[in-house]
Each structure stands twice: as structure tokens, then as C-alpha cells.
Amino acid sequence: MVALKHYRQHVRIAAKAGADVVICGAGLPMDLPELVAGTDTKIAPIVSSARCAKLLLQKWKRSYQYVADFVVIEGPKAGGHLGFSKEEVLEGISFEEEIKAIISFVKEFGKTEGKEIPVIVAGGIFTHEDILHAMDLGADGVQMATRFVATHECDASQAYKEAYIQAKEEDIKITQSPVGMPGRAINNAFLQRVEKGETCVKKCYQCLAKCNPANIPYCITQALVEAVKGNVDQGLIFCGSNVGRIREIVSVHDLMQELVYGK
Ligand SMILES: Cc1cc2nc3c(=O)[nH]c(=O)nc-3n(C[C@H](O)[C@H](O)[C@H](O)COP(=O)(O)O)c2cc1C
């Protein structure tokens, strides 16, 4: 997350340690090429509009003579932090035209620069058919999270996965995260306390560049870590818009069979 206080150090250290790829979102990673300079680490921004895609790719080229290695498009149905206003997310804006516009810009840009730039689409992809549809729009691949949380292999606690199985569509809440972006999560005791105005910042982890612990209802690091460890009533259960369709925990193997070959 670009919004992290130590975002630059995190990227530099990851690249020096030999990371194959760094993907940055939650903010505009304007200086990302500089942070991986001198390494073989590939870089990609996460964008939610053609305007941002244009801004970033042109800036990277102009200031660093760097052409993005790939681009991740994240739509309003994704889990976690969202690059849209709360109103846009709640109103459920149609995103297909924006996906097409981003892909068209990125592909044209790549052609001009003589580099193939793959585009990955994320947010709300649930079935084999959804993947085919993303490909029809021009995507080279998809990124999925929610469905993979509900797998045996996912390292989240059993309680976290159980919350996914129990969740219905009406249990989804859009919360304002201290990161400064809306976030999609399952409505639970924690979020209800936050809604009532209770604050619960135990200690400051110094995680965000712009955050005053005195002015926030909860600490994003604390809330996410509590949930993933299994203290779900004390934490934020991030999820995608399709969490209500999760019925059971499956193996990654079976999920991949379903996603790749259909049923
Ligand atoms: C529990 C959870 C945590 C996430 N955390 C991050 C994160 O730390 N950084 C990030 O870039 N995206 C994060 N995401 C977004 C996913 O990477 C992904 O792009 C998105 O959720 C895809 O939509 P889907 O969940 O409908 O498949 C998270 C998503 C979920 C469900």
C-alpha cells in the first residue's frame, strides 16, 4: 500500500531481497520505478480508472524511462480497500466501460513503447464464466481473492473462513478505513461498535503515512490482524462483494478445476 508510512522502504527491501514482482495500490505509486532501480523486480500499479492508468504510465515513462510490466485493474466489487468513493461503491456503478477504456489505453501505450503490457482484471470474479467475460473485455488474466479465502490452504483462521460461509449479501458493509479509502467488510460486532462511535485503538503500529490515532475509530493494522488470527469480533473481516455466494471451504485444486474448466 502506497499509503503506508514505510512504503518506500518496504519496496526497496523487497526488491533487494529478490522479489519477482511488486504490485502497489492504495494510493498512486508515482515513484515505484525508482524504488526497484538496479534490480530485476517487475512492477505494476493497481488502478481503478483510465485517468489513473494514464497518469501513472506516462509519469513512469517520462520521469524514469520505465514502461509498466503489467497493470492490475481493480473494480468496485473487490475486497478490501477500494479506489472509489463510498457513494460510487454503494450505488454499484457499472465498471465495464472503464475496464475497456483502461485496457485500450494500456495496450495502445504498450504498442507505442514496443512492450507488451498484460492487463489483469480484479473484483467480483467468481466463476469460470466471469473469467471468460473478463477475457472478452480484453483482459490477459484475472486476480481473485474472496474465493481463495474460502480454501483449506488459505492461512486465515477457521473463524474468518466461517464468517465467509455464514455471510449473506445483506451482511456486507462499506466502512471508511483509516487508510482514507472505503473498504468492504462483513458487518460484525466490531463494525457495529465502530458505527456506534466506539473507538478501539490499542496501540499505534506507525503503519500509515497520514493517520492520527486520536482521530480514527480503529487501527487498520490491529483490526485486520485480529480478524485473520481468529478474533473476528475484534476485527475487520475484509471481503469481496460476492462473499454471500460462498457456501463451503474447498481445496485450491478443486477451485482451480472449477475456475479453469467450468463445471
Ligand atoms: C481479505 C482480503 C484482503 C485483501 N487485502 C489486500 C491487500 O492487502 N492489498 C491489495 O492490494 N489488495 C487486497 N485485497 C484485494 C484483492 O487483492 C483483490 O484484488 C480483490 O479482492 C479481488 O476481488 P474478489 O475478492 O472479488 O476476487 C484484499 C481482498 C480481500 C478479500
Side-chain angles (χ1 to χ4, degrees), residues 7-256:
Y7 148 73
R8 290 188 175 77
Q9 290 96 312
H10 287 312
V11 176
R12 282 205 180 97
I13 290 166
K16 278 212 183 90
D20 294 310
V21 172
V22 173
I23 308 171
C24 285
L28 292 177
M30 297 298 248
D31 56 355
L32 191 52
E34 183 189 328
L35 307 178
V36 298
T39 73
D40 293 331
T41 302
K42 306 279 187 214
I43 50 172
I46 304 174
V47 298
S48 295
S49 69
R51 194 180 64 83
C52 280
K54 211 169 177 178
L55 192 75
L56 274 165
L57 266 56
Q58 288 177 343
K59 165 77 182 167
W60 287 8
K61 176 65 192 158
R62 198 174 55 246
S63 300
Y64 307 105
Q65 293 72 55
Y66 198 100
V67 178
D69 296 297
F70 62 103
V71 169
V72 177
I73 304 176
E74 216 184 48
K77 292 183 177 172
H81 292 112
L82 305 165
F84 301 86
S85 69
K86 195 170 174 176
E87 291 68 36
E88 285 173 322
V89 178
L90 290 172
E91 280 160 22
I93 54 159
S94 161
F95 194 60
E96 294 217 356
E97 289 308 312
E98 198 67 30
I99 292 179
K100 285 193 221 161
I102 299 171
I103 293 176
S104 156
F105 167 74
V106 173
K107 294 296 173 185
E108 206 48 50
F109 188 86
K111 212 182 273 173
T112 311
E113 299 301 334
K115 180 171 169 179
E116 168 73 28
I117 309 175
V119 181
I120 314 297
V121 168
I125 292 171
F126 202 84
T127 61
H128 173 70
E129 288 69 30
D130 293 340
I131 296 173
L132 295 183
H133 183 61
M135 302 301 210
D136 275 348
L137 295 176
D140 297 288
V142 296
Q143 173 174 297
M144 298 174 63
T146 299
R147 288 214 72 185
F148 285 89
V149 171
T151 59
H152 300 300
E153 290 86 345
C154 172
D155 64 356
S157 64
Q158 199 54 36
Y160 199 108
K161 297 177 192 179
E162 199 54 43
Y164 266 43
I165 294 174
Q166 299 302 330
K168 299 187 192 67
E169 202 185 333
E170 55 270 27
D171 297 325
I172 297 173
K173 198 111 194 135
I174 305 298
T175 172
Q176 196 58 38
S177 159
V179 166
M181 303 168 87
R184 180 178 278 107
I186 297 174
N187 193 12
N188 64 351
F190 172 82
L191 271 185
Q192 283 156 22
R193 284 199 302 277
V194 167
E195 201 130 282
K196 277 194 216 145
E198 285 179 37
T199 56
C200 59
V201 182
K202 282 190 202 145
K203 76 169 206 192
C204 180
Y205 291 85
Q206 301 284 318
C207 61
L208 299 174
K210 290 183 192 148
C211 179
N212 180 351
N215 297 336
I216 52 162
Y218 60 88
C219 161
I220 187 69
T221 294
Q222 179 191 313
L224 292 174
V225 170
E226 288 294 346
V228 98
K229 281 196 311 197
N231 304 325
V232 285
D233 288 345
Q234 311 291 326
L236 194 56
I237 309 171
F238 268 170
C239 65
S241 65
N242 278 323
V243 72
R245 294 167 70 184
I246 301 276
R247 295 274 172 272
E248 56 178 345
I249 309 292
V250 297
S251 69
V252 168
H253 175 268
D254 289 355
L255 179 53
M256 287 301 292

